[in-house]
Amino acid sequence: MNRQAQSAVLFLLGASLLHAGSTDLYLRYVKQGLRPLVLAAGAVLVAAAVATLWYERKRARRHKQGGEEPGHAHSESRARSDLPAHTHPEPRVAWLLVLPLLALILVAPPALGSYSATRTGTALQEPLAYPDLPAADPLPLSVVDYAGRAVYDHGRTLRGRHVRLTGFLALDRDGTPYLVRMALNCCAADAQPVKVALTGQVPPVLQPDTWLRVTGTYTPRRAEDPVNGGPIPFIEVTGAEPVPEPTDPYDESWNS
């Protein structure tokens, strides 16, 4: 690729980052708090592309007008004399580098789902504290918060409460249904599942990757994750309904 083509690729990449950062598309790749960095990176790449194109056009104009300095012209001619007699144009296959950029702009990748969840062990971590819960009924909780309180606090703050969790469905090899949320530290590449097993009035027909809002109560029942042996708490389901996939499908609460 020549300099103009390189600047075009830089511009497309920067524009893609600006597009992702100005919409919710960036949430498919990184956590919410990194939005300013995504926008800043896009702006830097666009500026670099514009600066490169401006420099190349200025250099071409000076060369056409014969305004190069003697030393510069001599170095240019010497560099040209060192080239082989038969030069070849840049391979067109290099333009395939643009395809991932177009995919980034035109196609929103799906969030990690049940396939990853059933092949990765639960990443549940012990919370640093257990803040008091508001007096809502049912009480909306994240899957990560419920699982942490159920396992490490033995359900002390959950007893006698109706809770509401939202996540996607995953089915274990033995058919055990899990309500899952993928938790991440930085980006989708390090996302790991936190699972809550369902018992009680579980819907008779379960489709993996379906997003559900589950209402239920705490139960001391637990299971071991078949992948890494980690603890998986249960929830006694009293009601469940399908919901649309949220704008931000990942959970960041475990590292906040």
Side-chain angles (χ1 to χ4, degrees), residues 114-115 168-171 206-211:
S114 61
Y115 181 87
F168 64 85
L169 276 171
L171 299 178
L206 299 175
Q207 182 67 31
D209 295 312
T210 300
W211 282 81

Side-chain angles (χ1 to χ4, degrees), residues 117-148:
T118 55
R119 288 160 177 78
T120 308
T122 181
L124 183 61
Q125 301 176 1
E126 183 173 2
L128 297 177
Y130 305 95
D132 294 335
L133 297 173
D137 187 29
L139 173 66
L141 286 178
S142 69
V143 170
V144 173
D145 193 9
Y146 174 87

Side-chain angles (χ1 to χ4, degrees), residues 10 21 37 39 66 73 122 137 140 160 186 189 227 237 249:
L10 274 179
L37 294 180
L39 291 172
T122 181
D137 187 29
C186 175
V227 179
V237 178

Side-chain angles (χ1 to χ4, degrees), residues 46 101 241 244:
V46 169
L101 303 180
E241 58 179 341

Side-chain angles (χ1 to χ4, degrees), residues 36-94:
L37 294 180
V38 173
L39 291 172
V44 169
L45 289 174
V46 169
V50 172
T52 300
L53 185 60
W54 175 83
Y55 173 77
E56 284 300 307
R57 288 188 174 181
K58 182 179 179 181
R59 189 164 70 97
R61 191 182 306 115
R62 289 176 59 189
H63 178 72
K64 184 177 180 180
Q65 296 174 353
E68 299 94 337
E69 296 179 1
H72 181 73
H74 177 71
S75 61
E76 289 278 344
S77 61
R78 182 177 180 182
R80 285 194 297 267
S81 65
D82 292 337
L83 293 175
H86 300 284
T87 59
H88 299 279
E90 297 84 358
R92 294 182 179 180
V93 71

Side-chain angles (χ1 to χ4, degrees), residues 213-233:
R213 181 182 292 123
V214 170
T215 303
T217 57
Y218 164 76
T219 173
R221 182 181 173 188
R222 296 186 195 175
E224 287 189 359
D225 193 302
V227 179
N228 66 350
I232 298 178

Side-chain angles (χ1 to χ4, degrees), residues 8-31:
V9 173
L10 274 179
F11 182 85
L12 285 175
L13 180 57
S16 299
L17 291 177
L18 290 176
H19 168 70
S22 60
T23 64
D24 293 326
L25 179 60
Y26 79 102
L27 294 173
R28 300 288 182 171
Y29 303 96
V30 297
K31 65 181 184 179

